[in-house]
Amino acid sequence: MNIQLLDKQENTISFLFKGINPVIANTLRRLIINEVPVMAIEEVEISKNSSALYDETIAHRLGLIPIKTDLKSYNLPSECKCEGKGCQNCQLKLILKTKGPCIVHSSELKSQDPKVKPIFPNIPITKLLENQELVLEAQAVLGKGSDHMKFSPALAFYRGYPELIVKQDSKLKEFAEQAPKGLVKVEGRKIEIDDVLKWNESCFDYAKENNINVKLSEEDFVFEIESWGQLSTKEILLNAVKAFDEKLDDFSKQLKKIKETA
């Protein structure tokens, strides 16, 4: 297996996986979405709410606000010494108290831990008119996407690396002119992908129009991760691989038990 970095931005990363299969690629995608824990608001106690929104609606909106996550300082409730009862190692309190007229934004959630707070300050929660109030206390915990998608850290997807199959009557120059600039390099009757990140769905149509066959590789995959901001793409990838190792170890132990009882 070989990994080649294609592009890295603040909250996105793209890389090329070579020499694997669709099962491994999809397993990594599912682990990123479902098994890498992040912090999100789980419980909300509302003392005052004279806005136009029901308490349940506000609680739902709060739960979907991405919160910066510190995996070194907090435990999953199920793995904490308090056994999920709630303590400073698995639970974080956020307080909101405001009075209208105003639009209540996520920045008004005051966290007990300055490192763990809403990532985007301008997410609207509700609107308050003259003398309307909103007072609440929220509890944030670590969770996994397999429990609820509000705990999912990123969008992760992959696609097979496109292989261009040239025929005798293929129109290479015409394809290069129609395709996104910089996608391919043409030298005589040879064509190769120069920047695979510029490949899009329209390229399949351009290839067909110019009599070029496209085959998506089942061994090489372009993998992309877009973080919602709770964790860096590096943290997401490392924790996904860690979860993969743990599941493989658990699988090995279960197989060993079966062999011993057989």
Side-chain angles (χ1 to χ4, degrees):
M1 183 177 70
N2 179 271
I3 302 176
Q4 176 187 340
L5 179 65
L6 298 175
D7 185 57
K8 188 177 186 301
Q9 304 294 331
E10 183 179 0
N11 285 322
T12 61
I13 188 171
S14 305
F15 49 90
L16 178 62
F17 260 135
K18 288 187 174 183
I20 60 171
N21 58 54
V23 174
I24 294 176
N26 194 45
T27 299
L28 181 61
R29 180 190 69 84
R30 290 175 65 89
L31 286 169
I32 289 171
I33 295 172
N34 294 328
E35 296 297 328
V36 178
V38 294
M39 193 78 80
I41 290 173
E42 181 74 347
E43 296 183 6
V44 181
E45 183 178 331
I46 299 177
S47 304
K48 288 184 180 180
N49 175 25
S50 49
S51 74
L53 298 183
Y54 294 119
D55 290 358
E56 295 84 354
T57 304
I58 288 176
H60 178 69
R61 292 175 73 87
L62 291 171
L64 297 178
I65 293 174
I67 296 175
K68 190 68 180 175
T69 299
D70 181 5
L71 292 177
K72 294 179 180 179
S73 301
Y74 295 90
N75 304 317
L76 285 163
S78 59
E79 298 175 3
C80 190
K81 291 181 180 179
C82 72
E83 298 179 346
K85 295 177 182 178
C87 69
Q88 63 181 5
N89 295 320
C90 68
Q91 198 173 77
L92 173 68
K93 183 186 292 185
L94 300 100
I95 295 172
L96 190 153
K97 185 177 181 180
T98 189
K99 188 174 182 179
C102 66
I103 294 176
V104 185
H105 290 99
S106 52
S107 59
E108 295 185 57
L109 280 166
K110 305 305 177 185
S111 171
Q112 287 186 326
D113 184 347
K115 295 181 296 182
V116 182
K117 60 183 180 180
I119 299 161
F120 307 106
N122 296 320
I123 296 175
I125 298 171
T126 188
K127 183 177 181 179
L128 297 178
L129 302 179
E130 187 77 33
N131 295 323
Q132 289 185 336
E133 293 182 78
L134 180 62
V135 180
L136 60 86
E137 183 179 297
Q139 301 289 347
V141 298
L142 278 180
K144 295 182 179 180
S146 54
D147 299 321
H148 194 288
M149 283 306 292
K150 68 182 179 182
F151 293 114
S152 187
L155 170 67
F157 59 96
Y158 66 92
R159 60 184 185 274
Y161 193 93
E163 298 173 354
L164 303 178
I165 302 171
V166 178
K167 295 183 283 188
Q168 190 172 1
D169 55 351
S170 296
K171 302 174 183 177
L172 306 187
K173 289 184 179 180
E174 288 82 349
F175 173 73
E177 290 172 357
Q178 289 178 287
K181 189 176 181 180
L183 171 68
V184 295
K185 285 195 303 187
V186 177
E187 294 181 2
R189 294 298 299 169
K190 291 184 179 180
I191 186 170
E192 61 181 34
I193 302 287
D194 192 38
D195 186 353
V196 71
L197 295 180
K198 293 182 178 179
W199 182 274
N200 57 47
E201 291 299 313
S202 64
C203 296
F204 289 100
D205 294 329
Y206 298 147
K208 186 176 180 180
E209 290 172 11
N210 293 289
N211 209 21
I212 298 172
N213 290 342
V214 180
K215 178 185 176 184
L216 296 180
S217 175
E218 295 189 1
E219 294 182 351
D220 303 337
F221 298 90
V222 178
F223 207 101
E224 298 189 44
I225 302 171
E226 181 181 347
S227 169
W228 306 133
Q230 300 101 319
L231 298 170
S232 68
T233 51
K234 181 180 179 180
E235 288 176 306
I236 292 169
L237 195 52
L238 289 175
N239 280 280
V241 173
K242 180 183 176 183
F244 203 173
D245 288 339
E246 290 173 353
K247 288 185 178 295
L248 288 173
D249 289 341
D250 183 59
F251 183 61
S252 296
K253 290 176 183 177
Q254 295 299 324
L255 281 178
K256 189 176 181 180
K257 286 182 182 179
I258 293 172
K259 288 181 180 179
E260 289 174 352
T261 57

